[in-house]
């Protein structure tokens, strides 16, 4: 069995492909539990409810996970590892700041479908989970992501690609919240897919809504 570092720096076991059906069963249980956490809330969801939803006894769930916290840990670390790795890759591509920001917006929206449950749990249970040492990586991952975005916004300002009268950190947080809150209303079978949603947001972000002379001023 090999190991890997997650976004919080903690070592996690990586199961070999030879485990086959057992690994698939584990992934199924994680996905099922994630949907329950998103729908009912992490605190309100019990191990018994997860087991009942899976059609197994509660004791059988402990063959795969030592606790409910271990399940949500996997749900959240998988999401954060994925999105952070993609942000890093966008920066390492070496494009200009505006191009990097464009790509990161698209990365964010692209997570709405595959990581819908994890994003919902992050929004609903962030303050509860961050109390526990096990979930210290949530704060560390958020700090890293914020630094990536703020650095690119500042670089864009320095390069003259972005207006310099806006606060980079506040701008990032407004972008972040717009993307993540979309998980509450976005529907994969709706009028727009995530690519089209990103297209629209990028247009508003970089081109704005107003036409003609700029009249807004920084307070």
């Amino acid at each position: 069995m090999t190991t890997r570092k997650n976004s919080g720096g903690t070592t996690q076991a990586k199961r070999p492909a030879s485990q086959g059906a057992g690994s698939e069963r584990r992934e199924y249980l994680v996905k099922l539990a994630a949907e329950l956490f998103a729908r009912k809330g992490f605190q309100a969801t019990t191990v018994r409810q997860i087991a009942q939803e899976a059609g197994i006894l509660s004791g059988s769930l402990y063959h795969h996970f030592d606790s409910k916290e271990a399940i949500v840990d996997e749900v959240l670390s998988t999401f954060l590892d994925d999105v952070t790795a993609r942000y890093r890759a966008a920066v390492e591509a070496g494009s200009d700041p505006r191009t990097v920001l464009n790509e990161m917006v698209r990365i964010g929206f692209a997570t709405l479908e595959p990581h819908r449950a994890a994003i919902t749990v992050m929004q609903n249970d962030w303050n509860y989970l961050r109390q526990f040492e096990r979930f210290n990586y949530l704060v560390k991952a958020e700090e890293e992501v914020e630094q990536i975005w703020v650095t690119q916004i500042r670089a864009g300002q320095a390069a003259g690609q972005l207006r310099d009268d806006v606060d980079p950190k506040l701008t990032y947080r407004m972008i972040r919240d717009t993307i993540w809150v979309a998980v509450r209303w976005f529907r994969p079978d709706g009028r727009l897919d995530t690519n089209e949603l990103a297209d629209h947001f990028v247009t508003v972000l970089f081109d704005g809504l107003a036409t003609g002379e700029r009249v807004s001023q920084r307070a």
Side-chain angles (χ1 to χ4, degrees):
M1 180 179 293
T2 59
T3 61
R4 67 176 178 85
K5 293 285 187 177
N6 68 12
S7 56
T10 57
T11 302
Q12 293 184 325
K14 183 177 181 181
R15 288 170 170 70
S18 60
Q19 288 195 352
S23 178
E24 291 179 3
R25 181 62 170 171
R26 179 186 175 88
E27 291 177 6
Y28 165 76
L29 290 171
V30 169
K31 185 175 181 179
L32 182 149
E35 292 298 329
L36 282 177
F37 294 151
R39 187 167 71 245
K40 298 172 62 69
F42 173 74
Q43 296 180 72
T45 303
T46 65
V47 170
R48 181 184 296 275
Q49 288 170 335
I50 297 171
Q52 288 177 338
E53 191 79 7
I56 60 177
L57 297 175
S58 297
S60 299
L61 197 63
Y62 289 109
H63 289 304
H64 301 278
F65 304 96
D66 59 21
S67 66
K68 183 177 70 168
E69 287 72 21
I71 305 176
V72 77
D73 193 346
E74 186 157 332
V75 171
L76 298 180
S77 63
T78 298
F79 161 60
L80 291 171
D81 287 348
D82 182 30
V83 72
T84 305
R86 293 188 188 191
Y87 285 153
R88 290 173 186 151
V91 173
E92 291 168 4
S95 300
D96 63 274
R98 175 165 170 163
T99 299
V100 173
L101 289 168
N102 186 317
E103 178 61 19
M104 291 200 299
V105 165
R106 296 181 185 282
I107 289 168
F109 278 108
T111 64
L112 293 181
E113 196 167 346
H115 294 295
R116 182 192 62 79
I119 296 168
T120 303
V121 172
M122 288 275 287
Q123 291 186 18
N124 294 341
D125 296 292
W126 171 273
N127 288 331
Y128 174 75
L129 293 172
R130 66 181 294 182
Q131 302 176 74
F132 304 102
E133 185 176 357
R134 178 175 194 150
F135 297 101
N136 283 348
Y137 68 86
L138 295 178
V139 175
K140 293 178 181 178
E142 167 60 15
E143 289 174 347
E144 179 183 355
V145 168
E146 179 173 295
Q147 185 59 40
I148 291 172
W149 277 88
V150 169
T151 297
Q152 291 304 307
I153 293 170
R154 286 176 175 159
Q157 290 175 320
Q161 293 183 318
L162 305 176
R163 53 190 293 178
D164 61 5
D165 61 341
V166 296
D167 180 85
K169 182 174 290 189
L170 178 59
T171 301
Y172 155 67
R173 291 184 176 181
M174 292 176 72
I175 294 171
R176 175 199 64 189
D177 292 350
T178 299
I179 295 173
W180 298 147
V181 170
V183 77
R184 298 183 181 276
W185 52 263
F186 171 73
R187 295 293 177 268
D189 58 351
R191 183 171 61 89
L192 300 177
D193 62 23
T194 54
N195 286 327
E196 294 168 317
L197 199 59
D199 286 340
H200 186 86
F201 183 78
V202 165
T203 297
V204 174
L205 177 64
F206 291 124
D207 297 339
L209 291 175
T211 61
E213 183 180 357
R214 179 186 297 168
V215 296
S216 60
Q217 294 183 349
R218 185 175 180 181

